Amino acid sequence: MPQVPQTFFDALAVRTWCGFALRTLGRAREEIDAINVYPVADGDTGTNLYLTMESAVTAVEAVFAAHGTLTEQKPPLADAARAMAHGALIGARGNSGTILAQLLRGMAQVLAADGETAHTDGEGLRLALRRAADSARQAVAHPVEGTVLSVASAAADAADDTEGDCGTVARAAYDGACAALAATTGQLAVLERAGVVDAGGRGLVAVLAALVETFTREAPVFGGHARVEAVSASGAPGVDDVLLCEDDATAAQEGGPAYEVIYLLEAEDTAVTRLRDRLDALGDSLVVVGGDGLWNVHVHVDDAGAAVEAGVEAGRPYRIRITHFGLGDVHTTGAERPPRERAQRAVVAVVPGEGLAGLYGEAGATTVLARPGEPPASGELVAAVRRAHAREVVLLPNDADLRHTAAAAAEQARAEGIRVALIPTRSAVQGIAALAVHEPERRFDEDVVSMTSAAGATRYAEVAVAERQSWTMAGICQAGDVLGLVDGDVAVIGADVTATARAVLDRMLAAGGELVTLVLGDEAPESVADVLEVHVRESYLAVDTVVYRGGRQGALLLIGVE
């Protein structure tokens, strides 16, 4: 990251801003979580903003890596801006993160308007801030004042009235946002009763502070107060900055939908317009952001299934996350909210597809979905550990490449007083074996030893398609070849999925085995499971086979042999 101020808004400024914003949100996360009072007292606005920005940072870094590390090889402004917006969109968490993603997308639409421009100036930044505020407001079904939208609009208004370079415009936007944030307490009754400012607006102020630092190298110190007055020790309601119409805002304090539903959606604009109308009738807190065929949908409903079905009718929903607001977590205030009892033990697992997420969920695990090419960050794993709300947690990364990420998450959770055991599972099939012997009633150490033994006794393999020519342990493969990987190394190169899978299975069963687990991806041939089941039954006595549907999991087929 450069150590001198940025003069213009170029790709390097995008990268620097995202990095500073992530750091600033990390420092303010707990404060923002603590004032999260509107309308769901789940205390996660700061965490959601942090995870959303973390995804944006990862996407921007990937663009820079693709262009090289030297200054003269930096990517165009348009590429960096689009990556920032796309990363935030696919990684958006909660209502607050979804709106932040739309704010960044609005800015990117201006910054990337001319794909050949290397940088923009203060005028371009003013236009970007205005587009951000307007597009975020349009994305919310029923916007009202006193929320992050008010703060974003005030920032854009202040920038509009300012002449000068990017640093001057950024500072004006920050000052305007701070003034608007202070006013939120008096604009919404729920904030006034709790004596706090809007949590999402506080997060946006942190992001704009990072923008000022990018262009001046002076980080402004937030001069306002997140809490306007002392909050009771029992915990004032913290509220995610969900934006409702006035009638809904009043109703939200008395009772509201039981589920938060979030998913990414591939769909056409006309289908999304119909989807908005349908979801608006189903619940509240509706925010739909995105465009160009990819959308992030957020809504609070009582019928989670209906919200997902509406997405299926509109296009192809995936990365579906459904959160049940437990008793006292929804639309309640202060002493009305009984403390939620911690479970004694929970399992948190990373899974590569929606099908496995459902399977693990049925077994009682809290899951983190890892899309192909989008591994979860440590912050996301920590958030899942917190969400499990248990004194003891068994963490299953289910991927060798996530070992260090999971270890960092485990250390952070331990620092928060949670007892965490990390089982180094390298595949989802090893995680299935571990989960099968999990017994919460056992002593923690005994349970971990049993689960570790089961995972270690499970050999794992996968069948995938080569994306490019490469040297492997089995020879040179070409793009389009079918690869059979056993314990992480290429063991078979073939042209047919079923034949390759059978060869892999024979190699694995040559060393013995009692149970074969097959997890089929969406792209796998329909007949492959039947063929392999027959092959095992006819060729290997006393070996059972179980088949699961994994969904969009990257690999065509996952194989486990216990």
Side-chain angles (χ1 to χ4, degrees):
M1 190 171 291
Q3 297 302 311
V4 296
Q6 292 291 126
T7 304
F8 296 103
F9 208 145
D10 59 3
L12 200 57
V14 171
R15 183 189 199 187
T16 304
W17 177 35
C18 288
F20 283 166
L22 183 65
R23 183 195 64 190
T24 305
L25 285 171
R27 292 172 177 171
R29 179 185 61 78
E30 292 185 0
E31 172 200 337
I32 297 171
D33 282 346
I35 62 170
N36 178 193
V37 296
Y38 175 61
V40 182
D42 49 0
D44 63 356
T45 291
T47 299
N48 287 337
L49 289 169
Y50 179 87
L51 293 174
T52 302
M53 184 55 69
E54 186 177 47
S55 183
V57 168
T58 300
V60 172
E61 289 300 324
V63 168
F64 269 82
H67 282 78
T69 57
L70 300 178
T71 301
E72 58 266 29
Q73 293 178 310
K74 66 184 179 184
L77 171 60
D79 288 0
R82 290 191 189 105
M84 171 185 70
H86 181 73
L89 178 67
I90 64 174
R93 298 291 188 274
N95 189 84
S96 52
T98 306
I99 293 174
L100 175 61
Q102 187 67 2
L103 288 166
L104 296 181
R105 177 179 170 81
M107 293 192 71
Q109 287 174 333
V110 173
L111 299 176
D114 184 350
E116 302 302 318
T117 300
H119 61 260
T120 191
D121 55 12
E123 173 65 18
L125 179 55
R126 283 198 298 273
L127 294 174
L129 290 168
R130 171 52 60 194
R131 178 70 66 85
D134 292 346
S135 62
R137 190 171 287 271
Q138 292 166 5
V140 177
H142 302 289
V144 295
E145 301 309 317
T147 64
V148 62
L149 294 188
S150 303
V151 177
S153 294
D157 291 343
D160 286 341
D161 295 335
T162 303
E163 297 290 336
D165 60 13
C166 288
T168 303
V169 172
R171 183 73 207 203
Y174 171 79
D175 290 342
C178 286
L181 177 64
T184 60
T185 305
Q187 290 176 293
L188 284 177
V190 60
L191 300 180
E192 187 172 13
R193 285 196 299 270
V196 298
V197 298
D198 178 67
R202 174 66 184 94
L204 180 57
V205 165
V207 172
L208 291 174
L211 186 64
V212 174
E213 186 177 5
T214 298
F215 294 111
T216 67
R217 275 307 179 273
E218 296 179 0
V221 178
F222 177 59
H225 297 282
R227 294 180 181 274
V228 179
E229 59 188 32
V231 178
S232 66
S234 63
V239 157
D240 201 64
D241 51 308
V242 180
L243 304 145
L244 309 173
C245 64
E246 291 291 352
D247 290 342
D248 288 341
T250 301
Q253 306 312 312
E254 301 172 355
Y259 296 94
E260 177 186 57
V261 178
I262 306 173
Y263 49 81
L264 290 179
L265 177 71
E266 293 178 357
E268 299 297 327
D269 291 6
T270 53
V272 171
T273 299
R274 294 192 296 271
L275 174 66
R276 289 176 190 269
D277 292 339
R278 181 167 179 187
L279 292 179
D280 195 22
L282 285 175
D284 61 32
S285 307
L286 174 61
V287 186
V288 181
V289 305
D292 301 321
L294 180 62
W295 309 82
N296 192 307
V297 179
H298 171 282
V299 67
H300 292 177
V301 293
D302 279 321
D303 189 345
V308 175
E309 288 173 5
V312 172
E313 292 180 6
R316 190 181 72 82
Y318 61 100
R319 293 189 73 168
I320 301 166
R321 294 190 297 275
I322 300 174
T323 302
H324 180 255
F325 297 127
L327 178 62
D329 288 337
V330 185
H331 311 306
T332 59
T333 59
E336 298 172 2
R337 182 180 62 192
R340 178 184 169 196
E341 181 66 25
R342 281 187 178 274
Q344 181 60 33
R345 189 174 309 157
V347 176
V348 173
V350 180
V351 292
E354 294 89 347
L356 283 177
L359 175 66
Y360 274 73
E362 289 174 3
T366 298
T367 60
V368 177
L369 193 60
R371 302 301 308 170
E374 301 171 16
S378 61
E380 191 169 355
L381 298 186
V382 173
V385 171
R386 295 189 188 113
R387 194 167 67 247
H389 204 64
R391 299 180 181 88
E392 303 166 339
V393 172
V394 180
L395 183 56
L396 306 175
N398 291 340
D399 187 336
D401 292 336
L402 287 178
R403 182 176 68 255
H404 297 302
T405 300
E411 282 303 314
Q412 183 172 340
R414 291 180 188 121
E416 297 176 7
I418 304 171
R419 189 179 185 187
V420 181
L422 172 60
I423 298 179
T425 48
R426 293 170 290 175
S427 171
V429 291
Q430 288 188 323
I432 291 173
L435 200 55
V437 300
H438 168 55
E439 292 185 14
E441 295 77 16
R442 272 193 303 222
R443 288 180 52 242
F444 185 61
D445 292 340
E446 292 178 356
D447 197 29
V448 171
V449 168
S450 178
M451 295 175 72
T452 302
S453 298
T458 302
R459 298 189 69 198
Y460 66 95
E462 67 178 71
V463 177
V465 177
E467 296 181 355
R468 57 185 177 275
Q469 185 186 60
S470 180
W471 290 87
T472 75
M473 296 289 289
I476 300 175
C477 72
Q478 304 296 327
D481 284 347
V482 181
L483 306 180
L485 294 86
V486 178
D487 293 339
D489 292 324
V490 177
V492 180
I493 300 175
D496 177 74
V497 174
T498 302
T500 302
R502 187 164 49 201
V504 167
L505 199 49
D506 286 337
R507 282 176 179 257
M508 299 177 74
L509 288 172
E514 298 176 356
L515 176 66
V516 172
T517 300
L518 304 175
V519 183
L520 275 65
D522 281 348
E523 305 301 321
E526 287 293 329
S527 62
V528 65
D530 293 337
V531 171
L532 295 180
E533 281 190 282
V534 171
H535 178 64
V536 170
R537 185 167 59 248
E538 293 179 349
S539 304
Y540 302 94
L541 298 177
V543 177
D544 295 324
T545 304
V546 60
V547 180
Y548 301 111
R549 293 282 176 178
R552 285 171 52 89
Q553 61 185 23
L556 298 174
L557 177 68
L558 300 178
I559 303 174
V561 174
E562 299 178 46

Short mmCIF file of all heavy atoms in Angstrom, two decimals, residues 13 21 32 78 143 151 171 255 275 323 331 368 379 427 433 437 459 523 543 549 561:
data_model
loop_
_atom_site.label_atom_id
_atom_site.label_comp_id
_atom_site.label_asym_id
_atom_site.label_seq_id
_atom_site.Cartn_x
_atom_site.Cartn_y
_atom_site.Cartn_z
N ALA A 13 -5.70 4.11 -5.85
CA ALA A 13 -6.53 4.75 -4.83
C ALA A 13 -7.68 3.83 -4.41
O ALA A 13 -8.04 3.77 -3.23
CB ALA A 13 -7.07 6.08 -5.35
N ALA A 21 -10.42 1.15 4.55
CA ALA A 21 -11.80 0.96 5.03
C ALA A 21 -11.93 -0.34 5.82
O ALA A 21 -12.62 -0.38 6.85
CB ALA A 21 -12.77 0.96 3.84
N ILE A 32 -19.90 -0.62 16.51
CA ILE A 32 -21.07 -0.59 15.62
C ILE A 32 -22.03 -1.72 15.97
O ILE A 32 -23.25 -1.53 16.00
CB ILE A 32 -20.62 -0.68 14.15
CG1 ILE A 32 -19.77 0.55 13.79
CG2 ILE A 32 -21.82 -0.77 13.22
CD1 ILE A 32 -19.10 0.47 12.43
N ALA A 78 -11.13 1.39 -14.21
CA ALA A 78 -12.40 0.69 -14.41
C ALA A 78 -12.35 -0.73 -13.87
O ALA A 78 -13.29 -1.21 -13.23
CB ALA A 78 -12.75 0.68 -15.90
N PRO A 143 -37.55 3.35 1.73
CA PRO A 143 -36.55 4.13 2.46
C PRO A 143 -37.19 5.21 3.33
O PRO A 143 -38.20 5.80 2.97
CB PRO A 143 -35.71 4.75 1.34
CG PRO A 143 -36.63 4.82 0.16
CD PRO A 143 -37.51 3.61 0.27
N VAL A 151 -27.39 9.38 5.71
CA VAL A 151 -25.97 9.71 5.83
C VAL A 151 -25.32 9.76 4.44
O VAL A 151 -24.53 10.66 4.14
CB VAL A 151 -25.27 8.69 6.74
CG1 VAL A 151 -23.77 8.98 6.82
CG2 VAL A 151 -25.89 8.70 8.14
N ARG A 171 -13.12 15.05 2.16
CA ARG A 171 -13.27 15.62 3.50
C ARG A 171 -14.65 16.25 3.67
O ARG A 171 -15.29 16.11 4.73
CB ARG A 171 -12.20 16.68 3.73
CG ARG A 171 -12.24 17.27 5.14
CD ARG A 171 -11.73 16.30 6.17
NE ARG A 171 -12.30 16.53 7.48
CZ ARG A 171 -11.74 16.15 8.62
NH1 ARG A 171 -10.58 15.52 8.59
NH2 ARG A 171 -12.31 16.38 9.78
N GLY A 255 -43.21 -6.51 16.81
CA GLY A 255 -43.11 -7.88 16.33
C GLY A 255 -42.89 -7.87 14.85
O GLY A 255 -43.34 -6.96 14.16
N LEU A 275 -39.87 -9.81 -8.98
CA LEU A 275 -39.44 -10.39 -7.70
C LEU A 275 -39.57 -9.37 -6.57
O LEU A 275 -40.01 -9.71 -5.46
CB LEU A 275 -37.99 -10.87 -7.81
CG LEU A 275 -37.34 -11.38 -6.52
CD1 LEU A 275 -38.04 -12.66 -6.06
CD2 LEU A 275 -35.84 -11.63 -6.72
N THR A 323 -31.47 -17.09 8.17
CA THR A 323 -31.19 -16.94 9.60
C THR A 323 -32.50 -16.78 10.35
O THR A 323 -33.33 -15.95 10.00
CB THR A 323 -30.31 -15.70 9.86
OG1 THR A 323 -29.09 -15.82 9.11
CG2 THR A 323 -29.98 -15.58 11.34
N HIS A 331 -36.98 -7.45 16.78
CA HIS A 331 -37.90 -6.35 17.03
C HIS A 331 -38.26 -6.20 18.50
O HIS A 331 -39.41 -5.96 18.84
CB HIS A 331 -39.17 -6.54 16.21
CG HIS A 331 -38.92 -6.83 14.78
ND1 HIS A 331 -38.14 -6.03 13.97
CD2 HIS A 331 -39.31 -7.86 13.98
CE1 HIS A 331 -38.10 -6.52 12.75
NE2 HIS A 331 -38.77 -7.63 12.73
N VAL A 368 -20.74 -22.63 6.56
CA VAL A 368 -20.22 -21.50 5.80
C VAL A 368 -20.03 -22.00 4.38
O VAL A 368 -19.28 -22.95 4.15
CB VAL A 368 -18.88 -21.00 6.36
CG1 VAL A 368 -18.33 -19.86 5.51
CG2 VAL A 368 -19.04 -20.56 7.81
N GLY A 379 -12.61 -13.87 8.98
CA GLY A 379 -13.69 -13.13 9.63
C GLY A 379 -15.04 -13.81 9.45
O GLY A 379 -15.87 -13.79 10.36
N SER A 427 -11.42 -32.36 3.09
CA SER A 427 -12.49 -32.53 2.11
C SER A 427 -13.82 -32.62 2.85
O SER A 427 -13.87 -33.03 4.02
CB SER A 427 -12.26 -33.81 1.30
OG SER A 427 -13.38 -34.11 0.49
N ALA A 433 -17.77 -37.73 7.60
CA ALA A 433 -17.37 -38.84 8.48
C ALA A 433 -17.22 -38.36 9.92
O ALA A 433 -17.64 -39.05 10.87
CB ALA A 433 -16.07 -39.45 7.98
N VAL A 437 -19.94 -39.24 13.69
CA VAL A 437 -19.62 -39.81 15.01
C VAL A 437 -19.68 -38.74 16.11
O VAL A 437 -19.35 -39.01 17.26
CB VAL A 437 -18.22 -40.47 15.00
CG1 VAL A 437 -18.18 -41.60 13.99
CG2 VAL A 437 -17.12 -39.46 14.71
N ARG A 459 -10.32 -41.73 3.29
CA ARG A 459 -9.58 -41.23 2.14
C ARG A 459 -10.54 -40.42 1.27
O ARG A 459 -11.73 -40.73 1.20
CB ARG A 459 -8.98 -42.38 1.33
CG ARG A 459 -7.99 -43.23 2.09
CD ARG A 459 -7.28 -44.20 1.16
NE ARG A 459 -6.38 -43.49 0.25
CZ ARG A 459 -5.89 -44.02 -0.87
NH1 ARG A 459 -6.23 -45.24 -1.24
NH2 ARG A 459 -5.06 -43.32 -1.62
N GLU A 523 -23.00 -30.49 -12.27
CA GLU A 523 -22.53 -30.73 -13.63
C GLU A 523 -22.19 -32.19 -13.89
O GLU A 523 -21.81 -32.54 -15.01
CB GLU A 523 -21.29 -29.87 -13.91
CG GLU A 523 -21.50 -28.38 -13.68
CD GLU A 523 -22.60 -27.82 -14.55
OE1 GLU A 523 -22.69 -28.24 -15.72
OE2 GLU A 523 -23.39 -26.97 -14.07
N VAL A 543 -19.12 -53.75 0.97
CA VAL A 543 -18.86 -52.32 0.92
C VAL A 543 -20.16 -51.61 0.56
O VAL A 543 -20.77 -51.91 -0.47
CB VAL A 543 -17.77 -51.97 -0.11
CG1 VAL A 543 -17.57 -50.45 -0.17
CG2 VAL A 543 -16.45 -52.65 0.25
N ARG A 549 -26.44 -35.22 -2.99
CA ARG A 549 -26.38 -34.17 -4.00
C ARG A 549 -25.70 -32.95 -3.39
O ARG A 549 -26.16 -32.42 -2.39
CB ARG A 549 -27.79 -33.80 -4.47
CG ARG A 549 -28.48 -34.92 -5.24
CD ARG A 549 -27.95 -34.98 -6.65
NE ARG A 549 -28.53 -36.11 -7.39
CZ ARG A 549 -28.27 -36.37 -8.66
NH1 ARG A 549 -27.44 -35.58 -9.33
NH2 ARG A 549 -28.82 -37.40 -9.26
N VAL A 561 -13.87 -42.76 1.05
CA VAL A 561 -13.82 -44.19 1.38
C VAL A 561 -13.39 -44.32 2.83
O VAL A 561 -12.29 -43.90 3.20
CB VAL A 561 -12.85 -44.95 0.46
CG1 VAL A 561 -12.72 -46.40 0.94
CG2 VAL A 561 -13.34 -44.91 -0.98
#
